Amino acid sequence: MNKEQKLIIFAFLVLTFFVFPLFILGENAHIRVHDNLDSNLSWYTVLAKSGQLTGPTNATIAQIINGNLSRNAFGTEFSLIVWLYALFPTMIAYALSQTITRFVAFIGMFLLLKKHFLPGKGWEIINIGTALDFALTPFWPSGMLSTLGMPLALWAFLNIRKGEGLLKNYLILTLIPFYSSVVLGFFFFLCAMGIFWIVDVIRQRRWNWRFLFSIAYMSIVYLIVEYRLVFSILFGEPNSRDEYFHTRLSFWHSVQLTFKNFILGHNHVMTVHTFVILPVMLLALFFVVKKSLWKQEKTFIILFCLNFGLSAWYAFWFYKGWQPLTERFHFLNTFNFARFHFLRPLVVYLLFALSLKILYFCGEFSRKATAVLVVLQLIVVSLFNEEIIFHDKPSVKQFFAVEQFSDIKKHINLPQDEYRVASIGIHPAIAQYNGFYTLDTYNNFYPLSYKYQFREIIEKELAKNKTIKTYFDEWGGRCYVFTDELGKHYMFNKNSKKRLKNLELNIEPFKAMGGRYIFSAVPIDNASENSLELEKVFESNSSVWKIYLYKAI
């Protein structure tokens, strides 16, 4: 085996070792809670059990918000991740998804660097090392290849742009939409490809029809795969996203957010670039300026400016100066155009590779340092393994607390579809995962009429707390039983000393919607004043919660 083959085998071993704990620990693994355990993992389970996985566009999910949640809110059945959770236990599906995504991410970035950015011999360590570092970044789990699949797609597009029409390029452009999301990455990527094509037309004064056709082709595949989303946009009723207002920041706050994003990144697309990659990029920029390498390193300069521009775009999308425009064009509020910054993982790691190349030519010491820098970044991203960074959070088993909620179900002793529940101090996804029919939920969109109906239950609590009032009224994705005393916190474990002393719910609207029980993670001292009666307290060694079961009377 040559050097490149040995390094690829090493990379595969590292990737295998990285995902291995998920297979070994199973439900005892610690994984991301935000926008993962509190939502998507429960959604897949509910969908699989609903009988509506392939249901029509007008189908609803009976288990959630009294059947007011459209089947379309759970995405397309053409997505492989939906079938993973339908066919396998939760943590096997999760581990398989992580494995698929990370191996494809590595292969894509390696192919892209080797052919289009650092071709030829001598760049094996940089190409394979950067690809491995990229593949280990903490991506948003349910986004799948939405960001980490971009290098492979770009590789295929650049091949076609050069005149290659090989089947493998179109095969890649066909398959990626079945394991990614257009709204979580590839809408913005395809827009970028469209801009790239226009720039080509202006610079070269000719129309590259093959390149344009490939962009259109992948866009059409996405429209077919995401037909439920398309249907909801064109024919859906007013929904919770219609009241999403994002333009709040002052000019200087937007400037601060620009630099924060540029330096630290974003929770949904963590690039983990602050400690190694950013200093390397800035050092490379210094050498480019010092040695006047503007022409030779044009790609580096363009990507560097794009990187900063994406951070600025993200930050200024929330600038209040946009408000008159968003009021006139409603879709600017309902669709999150700030997500152009989801291109940053691709851009940052391309910059890392090009920065290392620049340093490689800056002297003997810099040449030797490139391999060290690749390894340092590998160490940094390895420390962001979910089992490490979420070790202080509940395990999957502790979070979903199946044994504990089974005891609650037995205690109530009624078919679960005959009554409705809501949760206080814990995510409603837990009750949903355990088969309970919930009035509360966390979803991308649901009918605006239901939001108003649910609001009646919590209107007194919202009136007491401006933060939760704004959060619910001007977004509302989390249709929770918010309280003034708990605020925007939903993870009160069994060791919590918190108590609700002044709860004010409108229990009649709750009962009118079929609500009979409240699962509270904290005791309610004035339960009787809210027409609630404590039936029993449930604890379990396999759960992180203490559930106070209150019945509406």
Side-chain angles (χ1 to χ4, degrees):
M1 291 188 294
N2 58 34
K3 182 179 180 181
E4 180 179 270
Q5 291 170 329
K6 290 178 181 178
L7 287 173
I8 289 174
I9 290 175
F10 171 76
F12 282 173
L13 290 173
V14 171
L15 287 168
T16 301
F17 182 75
F18 191 84
V19 299
F20 198 57
L22 293 172
F23 290 97
I24 296 300
L25 295 174
E27 290 188 333
N28 293 313
H30 297 81
I31 62 176
R32 176 187 176 120
V33 173
H34 177 63
D35 285 349
N36 193 36
L37 282 174
D38 68 352
S39 48
N40 293 78
L41 267 63
S42 176
W43 298 349
Y44 299 135
T45 301
V46 169
L47 179 60
K49 295 178 180 179
S50 69
Q52 297 294 344
L53 198 154
T54 59
T57 53
N58 63 350
T60 59
I61 305 298
Q63 189 185 333
I64 299 178
I65 59 173
N66 270 343
N68 284 283
L69 186 69
S70 169
R71 160 65 186 86
N72 300 335
F74 282 161
T76 177
E77 66 270 33
F78 291 137
S79 175
L80 175 60
I81 196 168
V82 168
W83 289 100
L84 285 178
Y85 284 90
L87 297 173
F88 298 100
T90 297
M91 283 311 294
I92 294 295
Y94 188 84
L96 288 172
S97 181
Q98 287 277 320
T99 304
I100 293 168
T101 304
R102 295 193 184 281
F103 273 85
V104 173
F106 169 78
I107 293 168
M109 181 60 81
F110 169 65
L111 292 174
L112 178 63
L113 289 171
K114 182 180 179 181
K115 183 166 185 179
H116 296 290
F117 286 85
L118 294 176
K121 294 184 178 181
W123 303 114
E124 293 87 356
I125 291 178
I126 294 179
N127 286 343
I128 295 172
T130 301
L132 179 58
D133 292 343
F134 173 76
L136 296 184
T137 54
F139 69 99
W140 183 46
S142 293
M144 303 161 285
L145 291 173
S146 300
T147 53
L148 295 196
M150 289 182 186
L152 187 60
L154 182 57
W155 174 78
F157 276 128
L158 292 179
N159 291 342
I160 295 169
R161 176 174 174 263
K162 284 187 173 183
E164 297 179 19
L166 297 178
L167 178 62
K168 64 181 179 183
N169 296 318
Y170 278 95
L171 182 62
I172 287 168
L173 300 185
T174 303
L175 293 179
I176 287 178
F178 290 89
Y179 205 66
S180 61
S181 166
V182 69
V183 296
L184 296 175
F186 269 89
F187 170 84
F188 311 99
F189 178 81
L190 289 168
C191 286
M193 290 299 99
I195 294 170
F196 190 17
W197 178 82
I198 292 171
V199 171
D200 268 358
V201 170
I202 295 171
R203 288 178 58 214
Q204 300 176 10
R205 298 185 179 181
R206 67 180 182 87
W207 292 50
N208 189 332
W209 291 107
R210 283 189 176 187
F211 188 22
L212 179 61
F213 176 80
S214 66
I215 298 169
Y217 173 78
M218 193 178 197
S219 301
I220 291 170
V221 174
Y222 266 115
L223 290 174
I224 295 171
V225 170
E226 300 277 8
Y227 77 98
R228 292 185 182 275
L229 175 64
V230 174
F231 179 89
S232 297
I233 292 173
L234 296 178
F235 307 109
E237 63 180 312
N239 63 70
S240 56
R241 294 194 72 86
D242 289 328
E243 290 191 334
Y244 173 50
F245 302 103
H246 66 275
T247 51
R248 305 179 181 281
L249 302 185
S250 68
F251 177 83
W252 288 112
H253 195 167
S254 298
V255 171
Q256 292 172 12
L257 185 57
T258 296
F259 284 95
K260 179 182 178 181
N261 183 264
F262 180 74
I263 295 169
L264 300 176
H266 187 275
N267 183 46
H268 278 157
V269 281
M270 292 184 67
T271 46
V272 197
H273 67 281
T274 308
F275 303 108
V276 177
I277 296 178
L278 183 59
V280 170
M281 286 193 304
L282 294 175
L283 185 60
L285 180 64
F286 170 78
F287 282 118
V288 169
V289 174
K290 181 181 179 180
K291 297 184 178 183
S292 298
L293 301 174
W294 304 102
K295 290 185 178 180
Q296 299 93 316
E297 301 300 339
K298 182 172 62 176
T299 303
F300 170 83
I301 295 299
I302 292 172
L303 287 174
F304 191 94
C305 293
L306 176 61
N307 185 34
F308 186 81
L310 290 171
S311 291
W313 174 270
Y314 162 74
F316 276 89
W317 183 252
F318 302 100
Y319 173 50
K320 60 186 179 182
W322 285 101
Q323 191 165 346
L325 200 61
T326 59
E327 290 174 353
R328 184 169 183 178
F329 300 102
H330 185 56
F331 72 92
L332 295 177
N333 264 327
T334 57
F335 190 80
N336 191 355
F337 285 95
R339 286 177 176 161
F340 270 102
H341 77 103
F342 279 26
L343 295 169
R344 288 196 72 217
L346 168 65
V347 174
V348 165
Y349 279 85
L350 287 177
L351 274 171
F352 184 43
L354 293 179
S355 299
L356 292 174
K357 185 205 73 172
I358 293 169
L359 296 183
Y360 186 87
F361 290 114
C362 289
E364 185 66 25
F365 176 78
S366 297
R367 187 175 296 113
K368 293 179 180 179
T370 54
V372 175
L373 292 168
V374 167
V375 173
L376 283 176
Q377 180 62 16
L378 177 61
I379 294 171
V380 171
V381 290
S382 295
L383 293 175
F384 278 77
N385 185 292
E386 286 186 295
E387 195 59 41
I388 296 174
I389 59 175
F390 297 122
H391 72 278
D392 59 340
K393 302 295 182 183
S395 68
V396 176
K397 184 177 183 179
Q398 292 173 322
F399 183 87
F400 285 127
V402 173
E403 179 183 307
Q404 183 180 27
F405 277 80
S406 178
D407 290 341
I408 297 174
K409 176 185 173 183
K410 291 175 184 176
H411 172 81
I412 295 174
N413 196 29
L414 290 170
Q416 286 178 299
D417 61 353
E418 290 188 4
Y419 60 92
R420 303 293 181 263
V421 305
S423 300
I424 295 177
I426 57 171
H427 296 285
I430 300 169
Q432 292 168 1
Y433 186 87
N434 285 285
F436 289 94
Y437 284 59
T438 69
L439 295 177
D440 48 352
T441 192
Y442 175 22
N443 283 102
N444 294 323
F445 64 91
Y446 58 92
L448 194 58
S449 58
Y450 185 85
K451 179 182 176 181
Y452 294 154
Q453 186 182 11
F454 187 87
R455 192 186 191 283
E456 294 178 25
I457 301 171
I458 58 173
E459 62 181 358
K460 293 179 183 178
E461 291 296 316
L462 296 183
K464 293 189 283 185
N465 189 311
K466 183 179 179 181
T467 299
I468 59 173
K469 181 179 184 298
T470 301
Y471 189 61
F472 183 82
D473 287 346
E474 299 187 13
W475 180 54
R478 293 190 190 273
C479 188
Y480 284 18
V481 181
F482 287 109
T483 70
D484 169 46
E485 294 169 271
L486 301 185
K488 288 170 56 179
H489 300 284
Y490 343 102
M491 293 277 287
F492 292 91
N493 63 35
K494 57 188 174 185
N495 297 317
S496 173
K497 303 299 181 183
K498 191 72 177 178
R499 308 180 70 91
L500 284 172
K501 300 177 181 179
N502 299 296
L503 181 66
E504 290 184 86
L505 297 180
N506 292 328
I507 212 67
E508 288 308 314
F510 175 77
K511 291 164 66 176
M513 295 165 71
R516 294 193 48 189
Y517 293 96
I518 286 181
F519 301 157
S520 181
V522 297
I524 303 173
D525 291 346
N526 65 333
S528 60
E529 296 174 19
N530 289 274
S531 298
L532 295 174
E533 180 180 76
L534 179 64
E535 283 216 344
K536 190 175 180 180
V537 180
F538 293 84
E539 289 190 76
S540 171
N541 291 332
S542 62
S543 168
V544 74
W545 320 112
K546 178 187 286 188
I547 302 299
Y548 297 81
L549 179 65
Y550 289 93
K551 184 176 182 179
I553 55 176

Coordinates of all heavy atoms in Angstrom, one line a residue, residues 39-100:
S39 N -37.1 16.4 20.3 CA -37.9 16.6 19.1 C -37.8 15.5 18.1 O -38.6 14.6 18.1 CB -37.6 18.0 18.4 OG -36.2 18.1 18.3
N40 N -36.8 15.5 17.3 CA -36.7 14.7 16.1 C -36.8 13.2 16.4 O -37.5 12.4 15.7 CB -35.4 15.0 15.3 CG -35.4 16.3 14.7 OD1 -35.2 17.3 15.4 ND2 -35.7 16.4 13.4
L41 N -36.1 12.7 17.4 CA -36.1 11.3 17.7 C -37.5 10.8 18.1 O -37.9 9.7 17.8 CB -35.0 11.0 18.8 CG -33.7 10.5 18.3 CD1 -33.0 11.6 17.5 CD2 -32.8 10.0 19.4
S42 N -38.2 11.7 18.8 CA -39.6 11.4 19.2 C -40.5 11.4 18.0 O -41.3 10.6 17.8 CB -40.1 12.3 20.3 OG -41.4 12.1 20.6
W43 N -40.2 12.4 17.1 CA -41.1 12.5 15.9 C -41.0 11.2 15.0 O -42.0 10.7 14.6 CB -40.6 13.7 15.0 CG -40.7 15.0 15.7 CD1 -41.3 15.3 16.8 CD2 -40.1 16.3 15.2 NE1 -41.2 16.7 17.1 CE2 -40.5 17.3 16.1 CE3 -39.4 16.6 14.1 CZ2 -40.1 18.6 16.0 CZ3 -39.0 17.9 13.9 CH2 -39.3 18.9 14.8
Y44 N -39.8 10.7 14.9 CA -39.6 9.5 14.0 C -40.4 8.3 14.6 O -41.0 7.6 13.9 CB -38.1 9.2 13.9 CG -37.3 10.2 13.2 CD1 -36.1 10.6 13.7 CD2 -37.7 10.9 12.1 CE1 -35.3 11.6 13.1 CE2 -37.0 11.9 11.4 CZ -35.7 12.2 12.0 OH -35.0 13.2 11.4
T45 N -40.3 8.2 16.0 CA -41.0 7.1 16.6 C -42.5 7.3 16.5 O -43.2 6.3 16.2 CB -40.6 7.1 18.1 OG1 -39.2 7.0 18.2 CG2 -41.3 6.0 18.9
V46 N -43.0 8.5 16.7 CA -44.4 8.7 16.6 C -44.9 8.5 15.2 O -45.9 7.8 15.0 CB -44.8 10.2 17.0 CG1 -46.2 10.5 16.6 CG2 -44.5 10.4 18.5
L47 N -44.1 8.9 14.2 CA -44.5 8.7 12.8 C -44.6 7.3 12.4 O -45.5 6.8 11.8 CB -43.5 9.5 11.9 CG -43.7 9.3 10.4 CD1 -45.1 9.9 10.0 CD2 -42.6 10.1 9.6
A48 N -43.6 6.5 12.9 CA -43.5 5.1 12.6 C -44.7 4.3 13.1 O -45.2 3.4 12.5 CB -42.2 4.5 13.1
K49 N -45.2 4.8 14.3 CA -46.3 4.1 15.0 C -47.7 4.7 14.6 O -48.7 4.1 14.9 CB -46.2 4.2 16.5 CG -44.9 3.5 17.0 CD -44.8 3.7 18.5 CE -43.6 2.9 19.1 NZ -43.5 3.1 20.6
S50 N -47.7 5.8 13.8 CA -48.9 6.4 13.5 C -49.7 5.8 12.4 O -50.9 6.0 12.3 CB -48.6 7.9 13.1 OG -48.0 7.9 11.8
G51 N -49.0 5.0 11.6 CA -49.7 4.4 10.4 C -49.8 5.4 9.3 O -50.4 5.1 8.2
Q52 N -49.2 6.6 9.4 CA -49.2 7.6 8.4 C -47.9 7.9 7.7 O -47.7 8.9 7.1 CB -49.8 8.9 9.0 CG -51.2 8.8 9.5 CD -52.2 8.6 8.4 OE1 -51.9 8.8 7.2 NE2 -53.4 8.1 8.8
L53 N -46.9 6.9 7.9 CA -45.6 7.2 7.3 C -45.7 7.5 5.8 O -45.0 8.4 5.3 CB -44.7 6.0 7.6 CG -43.2 6.2 7.4 CD1 -42.4 5.2 8.3 CD2 -42.7 6.1 6.0
T54 N -46.5 6.8 5.1 CA -46.7 7.1 3.7 C -48.1 7.7 3.4 O -48.7 7.5 2.3 CB -46.5 5.8 2.8 OG1 -47.4 4.8 3.3 CG2 -45.1 5.3 3.0
G55 N -48.7 8.3 4.4 CA -50.0 8.8 4.3 C -50.2 9.9 3.3 O -49.2 10.5 2.9
P56 N -51.4 10.3 2.9 CA -51.6 11.3 2.0 C -51.2 12.7 2.5 O -51.0 12.9 3.8 CB -53.1 11.3 1.7 CG -53.7 10.6 2.9 CD -52.6 9.7 3.4
T57 N -51.2 13.7 1.7 CA -50.7 15.1 2.1 C -51.7 15.7 3.1 O -51.4 16.6 3.8 CB -50.6 16.0 0.9 OG1 -51.7 15.9 0.1 CG2 -49.4 15.5 0.0
N58 N -53.0 15.2 3.1 CA -53.9 15.8 4.0 C -54.1 15.0 5.3 O -55.0 15.2 6.1 CB -55.3 16.0 3.3 CG -55.9 14.6 2.9 OD1 -55.2 13.6 2.9 ND2 -57.2 14.6 2.4
A59 N -53.2 14.0 5.5 CA -53.3 13.2 6.7 C -52.8 14.0 7.9 O -52.1 14.9 7.8 CB -52.4 11.9 6.5
T60 N -53.2 13.5 9.1 CA -52.8 14.2 10.3 C -52.2 13.1 11.3 O -52.5 11.9 11.1 CB -53.9 14.9 11.0 OG1 -55.0 14.0 11.3 CG2 -54.4 16.1 10.1
I61 N -51.5 13.6 12.3 CA -51.0 12.7 13.3 C -51.8 12.8 14.5 O -51.8 13.8 15.3 CB -49.5 13.1 13.7 CG1 -48.6 13.2 12.4 CG2 -48.9 12.2 14.7 CD1 -48.5 11.8 11.7
A62 N -52.6 11.8 14.8 CA -53.7 11.9 15.8 C -53.1 12.0 17.2 O -53.7 12.6 18.1 CB -54.5 10.6 15.8
Q63 N -51.9 11.5 17.4 CA -51.3 11.5 18.8 C -50.9 12.9 19.3 O -50.7 13.1 20.5 CB -50.1 10.6 18.8 CG -49.5 10.3 20.2 CD -48.3 9.5 20.2 OE1 -48.0 8.7 19.2 NE2 -47.4 9.6 21.2
I64 N -50.7 13.8 18.4 CA -50.2 15.2 18.7 C -51.2 16.3 18.5 O -51.8 16.3 17.4 CB -48.9 15.4 18.0 CG1 -47.8 14.3 18.3 CG2 -48.3 16.8 18.2 CD1 -46.5 14.4 17.6
I65 N -51.3 17.1 19.4 CA -52.2 18.3 19.4 C -53.6 18.0 18.8 O -54.1 18.7 17.9 CB -51.5 19.6 18.8 CG1 -51.1 19.3 17.3 CG2 -50.3 20.0 19.6 CD1 -50.6 20.6 16.6
N66 N -54.2 17.0 19.3 CA -55.5 16.6 19.0 C -55.7 16.4 17.5 O -56.8 16.7 16.9 CB -56.5 17.7 19.5 CG -57.0 17.4 20.9 OD1 -56.9 16.3 21.4 ND2 -57.5 18.4 21.5
G67 N -54.7 15.8 16.8 CA -54.9 15.5 15.4 C -54.8 16.7 14.5 O -55.1 16.7 13.3
N68 N -54.3 17.9 15.1 CA -54.2 19.1 14.3 C -52.9 19.2 13.6 O -52.6 20.1 12.8 CB -54.4 20.3 15.2 CG -55.8 20.6 15.5 OD1 -56.6 21.1 14.7 ND2 -56.2 20.2 16.7
L69 N -51.9 18.3 13.9 CA -50.6 18.3 13.3 C -50.6 17.6 11.9 O -51.0 16.4 11.9 CB -49.6 17.7 14.2 CG -48.1 17.8 13.7 CD1 -47.7 19.3 13.8 CD2 -47.2 16.9 14.5
S70 N -50.3 18.3 10.9 CA -50.2 17.7 9.6 C -49.1 16.6 9.5 O -48.1 16.8 10.0 CB -50.0 18.7 8.5 OG -49.7 18.2 7.3
R71 N -49.4 15.5 8.8 CA -48.4 14.5 8.5 C -47.2 15.2 7.8 O -46.1 14.8 8.0 CB -49.0 13.4 7.5 CG -48.0 12.6 6.8 CD -47.1 11.8 7.7 NE -46.1 11.1 7.0 CZ -44.9 11.6 6.7 NH1 -44.6 12.8 7.0 NH2 -44.0 10.8 6.0
N72 N -47.4 16.2 7.0 CA -46.3 16.9 6.3 C -45.3 17.6 7.2 O -44.2 17.8 6.8 CB -46.9 18.0 5.4 CG -47.9 17.4 4.4 OD1 -47.8 16.2 4.0 ND2 -48.8 18.2 3.9
A73 N -45.7 17.8 8.5 CA -44.8 18.4 9.5 C -43.6 17.5 9.8 O -42.6 18.0 10.3 CB -45.5 18.9 10.7
F74 N -43.8 16.2 9.6 CA -42.7 15.2 9.9 C -41.9 14.9 8.7 O -41.1 13.9 8.7 CB -43.4 14.0 10.5 CG -43.8 14.1 11.9 CD1 -44.7 13.2 12.5 CD2 -43.2 15.1 12.7 CE1 -45.0 13.3 13.8 CE2 -43.6 15.2 14.0 CZ -44.5 14.3 14.6
G75 N -42.0 15.7 7.6 CA -41.1 15.5 6.5 C -41.5 14.3 5.6 O -42.5 13.7 5.8
T76 N -40.6 14.1 4.6 CA -41.0 13.2 3.5 C -40.6 11.7 3.9 O -39.6 11.5 4.5 CB -40.2 13.6 2.2 OG1 -40.5 12.6 1.2 CG2 -38.7 13.7 2.5
E77 N -41.4 10.8 3.4 CA -41.1 9.4 3.5 C -40.0 8.9 2.6 O -39.5 7.8 2.6 CB -42.3 8.5 3.3 CG -42.9 8.5 1.9 CD -43.9 9.6 1.7 OE1 -43.8 10.7 2.4 OE2 -44.9 9.4 0.9
F78 N -39.6 9.8 1.7 CA -38.5 9.5 0.7 C -37.1 9.7 1.4 O -36.1 9.5 0.8 CB -38.6 10.4 -0.5 CG -39.7 10.0 -1.4 CD1 -40.5 11.0 -2.0 CD2 -40.1 8.7 -1.6 CE1 -41.6 10.7 -2.8 CE2 -41.2 8.3 -2.4 CZ -41.9 9.3 -3.0
S79 N -37.1 10.2 2.6 CA -35.8 10.4 3.4 C -35.4 9.0 4.1 O -36.2 8.4 4.8 CB -36.0 11.5 4.4 OG -34.8 11.6 5.2
L80 N -34.2 8.6 3.8 CA -33.8 7.4 4.4 C -33.8 7.3 5.9 O -34.1 6.3 6.5 CB -32.3 7.1 3.9 CG -31.6 5.8 4.5 CD1 -32.4 4.6 4.2 CD2 -30.2 5.7 4.0
I81 N -33.6 8.5 6.5 CA -33.6 8.5 8.0 C -34.9 8.1 8.6 O -35.0 7.5 9.7 CB -33.1 9.9 8.5 CG1 -32.7 9.8 10.0 CG2 -34.2 11.0 8.3 CD1 -32.0 11.1 10.5
V82 N -36.0 8.5 8.0 CA -37.3 8.1 8.4 C -37.4 6.6 8.5 O -38.0 6.0 9.4 CB -38.4 8.7 7.5 CG1 -39.8 8.0 7.8 CG2 -38.5 10.2 7.7
W83 N -36.9 5.9 7.5 CA -37.0 4.4 7.4 C -36.0 3.8 8.4 O -36.3 2.7 8.9 CB -36.7 4.0 6.0 CG -37.9 4.3 5.1 CD1 -38.0 5.4 4.2 CD2 -39.1 3.7 5.0 NE1 -39.2 5.4 3.6 CE2 -40.0 4.4 4.1 CE3 -39.7 2.5 5.6 CZ2 -41.2 4.0 3.8 CZ3 -41.0 2.2 5.3 CH2 -41.7 2.9 4.4
L84 N -34.9 4.4 8.6 CA -34.0 3.8 9.7 C -34.7 3.7 11.0 O -34.6 2.7 11.7 CB -32.8 4.7 9.8 CG -31.7 4.7 8.7 CD1 -30.6 5.7 9.0 CD2 -31.1 3.3 8.6
Y85 N -35.5 4.8 11.4 CA -36.2 4.7 12.7 C -37.4 3.9 12.6 O -37.9 3.4 13.7 CB -36.5 6.2 13.1 CG -35.3 6.9 13.6 CD1 -34.5 7.7 12.8 CD2 -35.0 6.9 15.0 CE1 -33.4 8.3 13.3 CE2 -33.9 7.5 15.5 CZ -33.1 8.3 14.6 OH -32.0 8.9 15.1
A86 N -37.9 3.7 11.4 CA -39.1 2.8 11.3 C -38.7 1.3 11.4 O -39.4 0.5 11.9 CB -39.8 3.0 10.0
L87 N -37.5 1.0 10.9 CA -37.0 -0.4 10.8 C -36.1 -0.8 12.0 O -36.0 -2.0 12.3 CB -36.2 -0.6 9.5 CG -37.0 -0.4 8.2 CD1 -36.1 -0.4 7.0 CD2 -38.2 -1.4 8.1
F88 N -35.5 0.1 12.7 CA -34.6 -0.3 13.7 C -34.9 0.4 15.1 O -35.6 1.5 15.1 CB -33.1 0.1 13.4 CG -32.6 -0.5 12.1 CD1 -32.6 0.1 10.9 CD2 -32.1 -1.8 12.2 CE1 -32.1 -0.5 9.8 CE2 -31.6 -2.5 11.1 CZ -31.6 -1.8 9.9
P89 N -34.5 -0.1 16.2 CA -34.6 0.6 17.5 C -33.9 1.9 17.4 O -33.0 2.2 16.6 CB -33.9 -0.4 18.5 CG -33.9 -1.7 17.8 CD -33.8 -1.5 16.3
T90 N -34.4 2.8 18.2 CA -34.0 4.2 18.2 C -32.5 4.4 18.1 O -31.9 5.1 17.2 CB -34.5 5.0 19.4 OG1 -35.9 5.0 19.3 CG2 -34.0 6.5 19.4
M91 N -31.7 3.8 19.0 CA -30.3 4.1 19.0 C -29.5 3.3 18.0 O -28.4 3.8 17.6 CB -29.7 3.7 20.4 CG -30.1 4.8 21.5 SD -29.7 6.5 20.9 CE -27.9 6.4 20.8
I92 N -30.0 2.2 17.5 CA -29.4 1.6 16.3 C -29.5 2.5 15.1 O -28.6 2.7 14.3 CB -30.0 0.2 16.0 CG1 -29.7 -0.8 17.2 CG2 -29.5 -0.4 14.7 CD1 -28.2 -1.1 17.3
A93 N -30.7 3.0 14.9 CA -31.0 4.0 13.8 C -30.1 5.2 13.9 O -29.5 5.7 12.9 CB -32.5 4.4 13.8
Y94 N -30.0 5.7 15.1 CA -29.2 6.9 15.4 C -27.7 6.6 15.0 O -27.0 7.4 14.4 CB -29.3 7.4 16.8 CG -28.7 8.7 17.1 CD1 -29.3 9.9 16.9 CD2 -27.4 8.8 17.6 CE1 -28.8 11.1 17.2 CE2 -26.8 10.0 17.9 CZ -27.5 11.2 17.7 OH -26.9 12.4 18.0
A95 N -27.2 5.5 15.5 CA -25.8 5.1 15.3 C -25.5 4.9 13.8 O -24.5 5.3 13.3 CB -25.5 3.9 16.1
L96 N -26.5 4.3 13.1 CA -26.3 4.0 11.6 C -26.3 5.4 10.9 O -25.5 5.6 10.0 CB -27.4 3.2 11.1 CG -27.4 1.7 11.5 CD1 -28.6 1.0 11.1 CD2 -26.1 1.0 10.9
S97 N -27.2 6.3 11.3 CA -27.2 7.6 10.6 C -25.9 8.4 10.8 O -25.4 9.0 9.9 CB -28.4 8.4 11.2 OG -28.5 9.7 10.6
Q98 N -25.4 8.3 12.0 CA -24.1 9.0 12.3 C -23.0 8.4 11.5 O -22.2 9.1 10.9 CB -23.8 8.9 13.8 CG -24.6 9.7 14.7 CD -24.1 11.1 14.8 OE1 -22.9 11.4 14.9 NE2 -25.0 12.1 14.8
T99 N -23.0 7.1 11.4 CA -22.0 6.4 10.6 C -22.0 6.7 9.1 O -21.0 7.1 8.5 CB -22.1 4.9 10.8 OG1 -22.0 4.6 12.2 CG2 -21.0 4.1 10.1
I100 N -23.2 6.7 8.6 CA -23.4 7.0 7.1 C -22.9 8.4 6.9 O -22.2 8.7 5.9 CB -24.9 6.8 6.7 CG1 -25.3 5.3 6.8 CG2 -25.1 7.4 5.3 CD1 -26.8 5.1 6.7

